Amino acid sequence: MQKILRRTAKAEAQYTRRTRHQRSKEIADDRLIQIRRQKIAHSDVRALRLAAIKARHEDWELGPLAPRRDIGTKKDTYGAVPYRLIEKVHKPEGTWKDWGIRQGDRVVVVGKKERDRGRIGTVREVSQESETVTVEGINTVRVETPSFLIQEGQTAPPTQDIPAPLPLSSVRLVFPLPTPEGRKVDTIISALSIAPNGHRTIADYVDPEDGKPFYLPYPKPAPPEHQDHPSDTLRIKVEEETWVPSLLRQPMPENVIDELRNKYSKFRTRHDDAYIAKKMQEEAEAAWKKEKAGVGIGGMDVRMMTPGMEKRWREAMERKGKKEPELSEDILGRIGEVMMRNGFRLKEERGEEVVDDEDEDEEQGGEGLTGLGAPLPREERQQSTGIAG
């Protein structure tokens, strides 16, 4: 067993080393590709810079005889740089650093090589992959308008002035911090740290009011901008009431049914779809449980009943399954005889006059009652009641 465990541990360690080596190789290859891209971009920028320096020297030396350079293909784009040259190269994955700057923050340029050093602006975009930030109105560059920025059916100027990305290391966050006097002063945050819960804190700084660490709030997202188009429907048309519901014709408002009858009344025939689906599911579950276990007396499981309880339950189920007996003419005749005898006896006990229906029928020329409820002859009736007429 120890040999198997040792072999498993060696295999896991070998797989870990192989995966780590492969990952480091991928990072190195990605970094090499990014370095090559940076070299190409730098060479292009260097070529443009050298061409501009050469053109400036020629213009200075030749004076009025200097050639015009804003003609031909460069007539509208002379002095602008290609858009691809201001794009920053992404760094390899795993080497990114969170600088704590978000879109909407106010930052100041502190880089020594930046031409807008000391200016404050609002962050428009933050790129974690390239560790760059685009600041509104800062580091503006005139570029040739790329084709993907031109919408179909619209015209755009050949050149545009847009802010070029700046390294995150060249900017610092600016935030109005409270002072002991109760005022707020714009302060450059040089030591910004990110707490494990995501809050931004300032190193070696506490709130002068309560003495607790001061958390820098994140900027609120800007509300979306809605652009109007000629095909949009006006709000006055949308809010116009063109139909008023009525109880005299369909469709009527759905809440009227709840007002006329209780929402969960058993007499209600129209329910919400969710309520109907819930009840159907409950019935299906009850039927499944009944079919699976079998329900006996009082909802008890058949498997938990005694033999006597099971016998009574089965007899009750058999009686329940039988149909009601049908009364034949003979039985109905006997029931009529009993009812007639009981009626005559009650009348004689109360001293009322007993009228013989048979005599009345003979006087009327009838044949008397036959079939259902026919009266008995007088002698048999007297024998059954025990009273002489």
Side-chain angles (χ1 to χ4, degrees), residues 148-165:
F148 63 85
L149 290 181
I150 303 176
Q151 298 183 1
E152 186 178 357
Q154 296 183 0
T155 59
T159 59
Q160 293 184 5
D161 295 339
I162 61 175

Side-chain angles (χ1 to χ4, degrees), residues 90-160:
H90 291 186
K91 293 188 176 181
E93 186 178 356
T95 61
W96 306 338
K97 179 183 177 181
D98 188 5
W99 293 78
I101 297 177
R102 299 292 185 269
Q103 182 180 358
D105 285 330
R106 296 173 63 241
V107 296
V108 59
V109 182
V110 297
K112 295 182 179 180
K113 296 183 179 180
E114 305 298 338
R115 57 177 177 172
D116 293 330
R117 183 182 180 184
R119 294 185 59 185
I120 299 177
T122 305
V123 176
R124 177 196 290 182
E125 182 183 359
V126 179
S127 177
Q128 298 291 345
E129 294 81 2
S130 59
E131 293 187 5
T132 57
V133 59
T134 304
V135 186
E136 188 71 31
I138 304 297
N139 196 27
T140 305
V141 180
R142 178 164 294 181
V143 299
E144 300 175 1
T145 305
S147 58
F148 63 85
L149 290 181
I150 303 176
Q151 298 183 1
E152 186 178 357
Q154 296 183 0
T155 59
T159 59
Q160 293 184 5

